[in-house]
């Protein structure tokens, strides 16, 4: 079976008070979403009794018996090795926040069709009716026999860190929180190319990240793993530093890893002389703070739909500007990463997604740009057909090199 995009239904079932104008006629987004954006289809025909006897009884019993005797055969004779569970509790959906599992489903369906469209990976949206970390972990562990990987999505921090860690400890399939790691991979790829464009290396750069949630924490750790010179992270109360006594356990760890310069105080103060701004928090950074950054700075203002620094303002002071929006150049979009990362991991039946696999994905993504590198082209388009194959191949090779591949 596989997931596929389906045409919206014409059925006009009630979606609001009787007599009100249908939502479909007000906004085309509702028309597109009517009936959902995906379906399940068979990959084998059932045309006659012979087909039926092979696809179901009695033929299916032979396959079941073989798998019972040799459990690893499940990867060859079911869809397990090509399907991912997209799991959420609806607590951190886009910029909408805690809107609940039902309201999260349009996003989870969207994620599933992106997996298929850009990575050839089947995915099943699973919205859970609980926000309890223990219940989420236990539920996913029990669902895991049906899937080759788990993509955690839109689960709020700091629970998302614990949930991912505990699931990966208990499962022998990849568990990947895309809000953290997908964002980090694409950010690193763009940053590598921005540095190359301006004749610098990562080690030459000091970055300031606005936002100490899932994405901000993951980006900071990933940039350190990749060799950035220094990085400081700011939350609503200012720079996350070891002299603060109001930090969660996640932020205390972050403080111990980051901010070699010993900065404290506000985000604006930290930006003075900084080479890189990375925004994953929303809000607005005052123009004077952007102006105080180092010459040739990079501004990656990725909040959607309103970047922390408007591109028109950023271009006054920065050598490279990126956003999370599709209507500006250099879109930092997770879809550049997660389909290929999972495709590569599934291809070699990896037991997990390692730091090395993520760095390989970032390097492959950056390399797609090649000699076309320019200030308005440090990261490729999601529609560049070279992206997914390049990331897939790099991730598969890294998995083999790191000893987590099983074929």
């Amino acid at each position: 079976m596989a997931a596929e995009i389906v045409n919206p239904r014409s059925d006009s079932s009630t979606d609001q008070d009787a007599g009100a104008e249908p939502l479909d006629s007000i906004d085309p987004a509702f028309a597109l979403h009517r009936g959902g954006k995906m379906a399940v289809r068979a990959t084998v025909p059932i045309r006659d009794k012979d087909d039926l006897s092979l696809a179901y009884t009695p033929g299916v019993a032979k396959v079941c018996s073989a798998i019972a005797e040799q459990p690893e055969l499940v990867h060859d004779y079911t869809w397990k090795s090509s399907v991912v569970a997209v799991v959420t509790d609806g607590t951190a959906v886009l910029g909408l926040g805690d809107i609940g599992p039902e309201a999260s489903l349009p996003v989870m369906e969207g994620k599933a069709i992106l997996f298929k469209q850009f990575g050839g990976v089947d995915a099943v949206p699973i919205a859970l009716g609980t926000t309890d970390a223990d219940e989420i972990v236990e539920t996913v562990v029990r669902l895991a026999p049906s899937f080759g990987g788990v993509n955690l999505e839109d689960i709020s921090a700091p629970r998302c860190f614990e949930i991912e860690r505990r699931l990966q400890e208990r499962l022998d399939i990849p568990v990947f929180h895309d809000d953290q790691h997908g964002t980090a991979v694409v950010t690193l790829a763009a940053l590598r190319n921005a540095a190359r464009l301006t004749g610098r290396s990562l080690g030459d750069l000091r970055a300031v990240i606005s936002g100490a949630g899932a994405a901000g924490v993951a980006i900071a750790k990933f940039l350190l793993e990749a060799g950035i010179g220094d990085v400081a992270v700011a939350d609503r109360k200012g720079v996350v530093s070891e002299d603060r006594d109001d930090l969660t356990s996640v932020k205390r760890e972050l403080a111990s890893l980051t901010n070699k310069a010993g900065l404290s105080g506000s985000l604006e103060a930290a930006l003075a002389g900084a080479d890189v701004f990375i925004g994953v928090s929303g809000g607005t950074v005052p123009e004077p703070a952007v102006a105080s950054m180092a010459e040739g700075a990079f501004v990656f203002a990725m909040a959607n739909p309103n970047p922390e620094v408007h591109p028109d303002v950023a271009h006054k002071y920065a050598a490279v500007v990126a956003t999370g929006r599709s209507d500006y150049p250099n879109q930092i979009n997770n879809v550049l990463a997660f389909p290929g990362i999972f495709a590569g991991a599934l291809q070699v039946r990896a037991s997990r997604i390692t730091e090395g696999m993520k760095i390989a994905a970032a390097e492959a993504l950056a390399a797609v740009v090649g000699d076309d590198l320019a200030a308005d082209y440090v990261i490729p388009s999601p529609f560049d057909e070279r992206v997914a194959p390049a990331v897939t191949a790099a991730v598969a090779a890294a998995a083999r090199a790191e000893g987590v591949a099983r074929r």
Side-chain angles (χ1 to χ4, degrees):
M1 292 189 296
E4 64 176 355
I5 303 173
V6 295
N7 291 327
R9 295 186 206 151
S10 59
D11 171 35
S12 57
S13 57
T14 302
D15 47 24
Q16 55 194 39
D17 295 338
E21 188 175 1
L23 294 175
D24 293 16
S25 65
I26 297 172
D27 190 318
F30 286 95
L32 183 141
H33 281 78
R34 182 172 289 283
K37 299 191 290 290
M38 56 184 292
V40 174
R41 64 174 178 84
T43 59
V44 297
I46 307 292
R47 297 162 299 197
D48 51 38
K49 67 176 184 177
D50 292 333
D51 289 342
L52 184 61
S53 70
L54 290 173
Y56 203 55
T57 185
V60 73
K62 298 176 184 178
V63 181
C64 293
S65 297
I67 294 172
E69 292 178 8
Q70 300 180 59
E72 284 300 302
L73 291 178
V74 70
H75 298 282
D76 298 315
Y77 294 106
T78 73
W79 78 340
K80 180 179 174 73
S81 277
S82 62
V83 67
V84 170
V86 180
V87 179
T88 190
D89 64 358
T91 55
V93 181
L94 300 178
L96 304 174
D98 185 356
I99 60 174
E102 290 84 1
S104 77
L105 269 176
V107 178
M108 300 309 112
E109 288 182 3
K111 197 78 173 189
I113 64 175
L114 294 179
F115 264 110
K116 188 67 173 179
Q117 176 74 25
F118 294 103
V121 174
D122 291 311
V124 177
I126 299 175
L128 301 178
T130 179
T131 60
D132 181 86
D134 291 338
E135 292 182 354
I136 292 171
V137 169
E138 292 301 322
T139 301
V140 176
V141 167
R142 283 159 175 71
L143 290 170
S146 296
F147 299 98
V150 176
N151 185 88
L152 300 175
E153 190 75 20
D154 293 348
I155 298 174
S156 63
R159 295 173 312 114
C160 60
F161 304 113
E162 175 193 356
I163 290 168
E164 182 188 43
R165 175 184 58 77
R166 289 171 58 187
L167 283 172
Q168 191 60 87
E169 287 173 352
R170 293 184 60 180
L171 299 176
D172 66 347
I173 58 175
V175 178
F176 186 85
H177 186 209
D178 186 49
D179 301 323
Q180 294 182 61
H181 309 301
T183 308
V185 166
V186 184
T187 301
L188 175 59
L191 192 57
R192 281 192 182 281
N193 275 341
R196 180 164 70 93
L197 179 69
T198 56
R200 288 177 281 180
S201 68
L202 287 179
D204 299 324
L205 304 177
R206 177 171 73 84
V208 177
I209 298 174
S210 174
V217 171
I219 291 170
K221 290 182 176 180
F222 197 50
L223 293 184
L224 289 171
E225 181 78 19
I228 197 165
D230 194 14
V231 58
V233 182
D235 61 12
R236 291 183 181 88
K237 297 182 179 179
V239 175
V240 175
S241 58
E242 292 187 290
D243 61 357
R244 283 177 50 178
D245 60 6
D246 61 344
L247 301 179
T248 64
S249 60
V250 170
K251 292 181 182 179
R252 281 198 302 274
E253 181 195 15
L254 188 64
S256 71
L257 298 172
T258 61
N259 193 20
K260 290 189 296 188
L263 302 174
S264 60
S266 68
L267 167 71
E268 291 80 3
L271 281 174
D275 302 293
V276 185
F277 168 75
I278 297 172
V280 284
S281 66
T284 301
V285 177
E287 184 171 342
V290 182
S292 75
M293 295 178 69
E295 184 177 354
F298 312 143
V299 172
F300 291 5
M302 303 189 297
N304 263 319
N306 300 310
E308 295 89 347
V309 182
H310 192 279
D312 292 343
V313 173
H315 278 296
K316 293 181 184 179
Y317 310 102
V320 176
V321 177
T323 72
R325 290 176 52 146
S326 60
D327 53 349
Y328 289 102
N330 296 328
Q331 184 189 17
I332 308 294
N333 191 329
N334 290 15
V335 76
L336 288 163
F338 69 82
I341 289 173
F342 267 101
L346 293 173
Q347 184 180 97
V348 298
R349 205 177 296 164
S351 59
R352 63 184 58 243
I353 294 170
T354 65
E355 290 300 299
M357 291 162 71
K358 291 185 286 183
I359 287 176
E363 291 174 347
L365 183 54
V368 169
V369 170
D371 294 336
D372 295 324
L373 180 64
D376 62 353
Y377 185 55
V378 297
I379 198 76
S381 162
F383 295 99
D384 188 324
E385 294 182 354
R386 299 171 296 173
V387 167
V391 174
T392 299
V395 168
R400 292 189 178 101
E402 299 214 334
V404 296
R406 289 176 287 195
R407 70 174 178 189

